[in-house]
Structure formats: structure tokens, C-alpha cells
């Protein structure tokens, strides 16, 4: 597993903390998932008060604050600075939303905010698309991690642009990458890991499941299986059938 700004995580699963029916369900899901990172919105923490933050700390996971809901670079930068003071971490998941319906990142605002935050000492995890040009600009701005979306946030559609994601992964083989947003099923997380991504980040698929703890465990197993499959060097697809039992040595009547 790759390092994220010098930190090697024990799990490739990152889990959000929003939309759960209760704090107890959230805690049970996290403990079942074995997730190494909890993403936390500054707005949510402020709404829940100190009890919520105490619970997150008791989970013993690394906190990744985010700038969820920000629609401009200035708003994202201010939110990130407040989050750093509150959570005492240079990590920030940078979201600058550009489209209200798809929640697609605004590439111009994202790059502007990434440059400013990296220069200010933040370790930026940018929520981006599979665009290779934008990816290179973000790396040039100081980002050392990329977080391309699988599909629109909360959609559960999985990996919408498999070709684009494969090309992005191949173009930057040494950059840690996390599939962020849009995953709805454990099989989709396994596929992302099989494609060579280093981790997945999800929230809604677990929080809105009938049994969040069970779904969290399913995602944990899927991520582990996908990573193991990638490491095992899977066979390439073939256009024609290839018999698993050779004809050599076969008896003839």
C-alpha cells in the first residue's frame, strides 16, 4: 500500500461520517469496516458539538477534514484553515463544487485552492475528475495525492468512466490515488482496487444501507480482495476460448 504524505495506512478503506441514522450506527459501521480514515465535514462537526468529535477520536482512525459544500476557492480555503485549527491536522480533502446537479468539481476553483493551500503547508487530497490535464496541474500545484470520482457523489453508480480511470492510473503510476464518490456496491470497490487504485473513499453506500455495519464489513472484504487480486497479477482477457484442459495426452477412440 502506498504512503499518503508519508503515512502508510493499515486499510485501503476510507469512510465518511455523514447521513448515518444515529451516532451509534456510525460507530458500529466504523468498527466493522476497519477503515483507517474518517472524513469529517467542518459544518457537521459544528452542528453535532463536542460529543461527535470525541466519538471520532475514540475510533482511533486518522481524520481527513473536507471542504464539502464549498462552491468557490475562497470558501474552500477559509474552511480548510478553520478545519486545520479545529482538527489539528494538515490533511484536507479539497472539494470545490462546480455543478449543483452532478456535484462535479470546478476545475478552475479546485486548482486555485489547491495552489494556495499547498503553499500554506496543507497536505491536499483533491476531489477531482479523471481529466489527465487537471491531474498534472494539481500535481504541479503541490498535491501528492489524487482523488478522482467514480461517479457523482451519493449516486451509487460505480465507475462511470472505466477507460478514463484506467488511463489516469496508467499516466501517473507513482501517484497515490483514491477513488472518491459514487460507489454503491462492494463489487465496485473491488474493481477499483483491481484497476490499481490505492484506496477507496465512500459514505452513502454504507450510511444508507439497511444494515450499515454489515455493509461496511462487506466493503472492507471487497477492498482487501481487490488489492490481493491486483497483486496476484491477473490474466489478461482473451477474445477466444482457451481450454483449461490441454489436448496433449488425451486418449482417442
Amino acid at each position: 500500500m502506498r504512503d499518503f504524505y508519508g503515512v502508510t495506512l493499515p486499510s485501503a478503506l476510507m469512510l465518511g461520517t455523514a447521513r448515518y441514522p444515529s451516532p451509534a450506527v456510525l460507530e458500529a459501521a466504523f468498527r466493522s469496516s476497519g477503515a483507517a480514515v474518517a472524513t469529517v465535514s467542518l459544518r457537521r462537526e459544528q452542528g453535532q458539538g463536542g460529543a461527535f468529535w470525541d466519538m471520532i477520536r475514540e475510533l482511533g482512525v486518522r481524520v481527513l477534514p473536507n471542504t464539502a459544500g464549498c462552491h468557490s476557492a475562497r470558501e474552500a480555503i477559509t474552511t480548510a484553515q478553520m478545519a486545520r485549527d479545529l482538527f489539528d491536522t494538515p490533511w484536507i480533502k479539497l472539494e470545490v463544487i462546480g455543478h449543483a446537479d452532478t456535484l462535479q468539481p470546478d476545475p478552475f476553483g479546485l486548482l486555485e485552492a489547491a495552489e494556495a493551500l499547498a503553499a500554506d503547508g496543507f497536505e491536499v487530497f483533491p476531489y477531482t475528475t479523471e481529466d489527465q490535464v487537471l491531474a498534472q496541474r494539481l500535481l504541479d500545484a503541490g498535491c501528492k495525492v489524487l482523488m478522482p470520482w467514480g461517479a457523482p457523489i451519493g449516486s451509487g453508480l460505480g465507475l462511470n468512466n472505466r477507460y478514463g480511470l484506467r488511463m489516469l492510473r496508467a499516466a501517473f503510476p507513482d501517484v497515490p490515488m483514491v477513488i472518491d464518490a459514487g460507489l454503491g456496491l462492494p463489487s465496485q470497490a473491488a474493481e477499483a482496487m483491481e484497476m490499481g487504485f490505492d484506496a477507496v473513499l465512500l459514505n452513502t453506500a454504507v450510511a444508507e444501507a439497511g444494515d450499515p455495519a454489515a455493509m461496511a464489513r462487506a466493503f472492507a472484504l471487497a477492498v482487501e480482495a481487490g488489492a490481493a487480486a491486483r497483486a496476484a497479477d491477473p490474466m489478461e482477457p482473451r477474445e477466444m476460448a482457451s481450454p483449461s484442459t490441454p489436448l496433449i495426452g488425451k486418449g482417442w477412440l
Side-chain angles (χ1 to χ4, degrees):
M1 188 179 299
R2 283 191 175 93
D3 286 347
F4 296 89
Y5 289 101
V7 176
T8 301
L9 300 174
S11 168
L13 182 60
M14 303 179 179
L15 199 55
T17 56
R19 306 180 72 94
Y20 291 85
S22 71
V25 172
L26 185 158
E27 182 176 2
F30 259 90
R31 297 198 183 283
S32 181
S33 73
V37 172
T39 60
V40 179
S41 167
L42 179 65
R43 291 176 174 86
R44 176 171 175 79
E45 200 285 334
Q46 288 174 320
Q48 293 290 323
F52 176 77
W53 180 218
D54 289 341
M55 181 189 65
I56 296 300
R57 284 188 291 196
E58 289 173 2
L59 291 172
V61 298
R62 194 168 185 97
V63 173
L64 176 59
N66 65 43
T67 62
C70 293
H71 292 262
S72 70
R74 177 177 295 182
E75 185 181 10
I77 292 167
T78 300
T79 301
Q81 291 168 339
M82 293 171 63
R84 179 170 60 182
D85 291 341
L86 179 62
F87 298 111
D88 191 27
T89 176
W91 280 20
I92 191 72
K93 178 191 169 188
L94 179 60
E95 296 183 27
V96 182
I97 301 302
H99 193 278
D101 292 334
T102 65
L103 302 181
Q104 179 172 326
D106 172 0
F108 308 103
L110 178 66
L111 183 58
E112 179 185 347
E115 289 174 337
L117 292 174
D120 192 27
F122 282 88
E123 295 174 345
V124 181
F125 292 67
Y127 164 62
T128 182
T129 66
E130 63 275 19
D131 187 311
Q132 291 187 33
V133 176
L134 177 56
Q136 185 61 65
R137 296 289 180 86
L138 289 167
L139 295 173
D140 293 343
C143 299
K144 296 182 180 179
V145 175
L146 295 172
M147 301 184 77
W149 66 346
I153 294 171
S155 68
L157 293 172
L159 305 177
N160 271 359
N161 185 359
R162 289 170 173 80
Y163 172 79
L165 290 170
R166 288 194 184 97
M167 293 303 98
L168 181 68
R169 177 69 282 179
F172 304 99
D174 298 324
V175 176
M177 291 191 194
V178 182
I179 291 293
D180 176 19
L183 299 182
L185 292 170
S187 57
Q188 297 162 354
E191 182 180 5
M193 299 300 294
E194 289 169 359
M195 290 169 63
F197 289 90
D198 302 287
V200 300
L201 193 159
L202 54 109
N203 189 158
T204 308
V206 170
E208 295 191 356
D211 185 339
M215 185 61 76
R217 177 59 177 158
F219 269 101
L221 294 171
V223 167
E224 183 178 350
R230 175 73 177 187
D233 191 16
M235 62 173 282
E236 294 292 330
R238 303 184 178 109
E239 294 293 334
M240 300 290 291
S242 177
S244 56
T245 301
L247 298 177
I248 298 175
K250 178 182 178 181
W252 297 95
L253 299 178

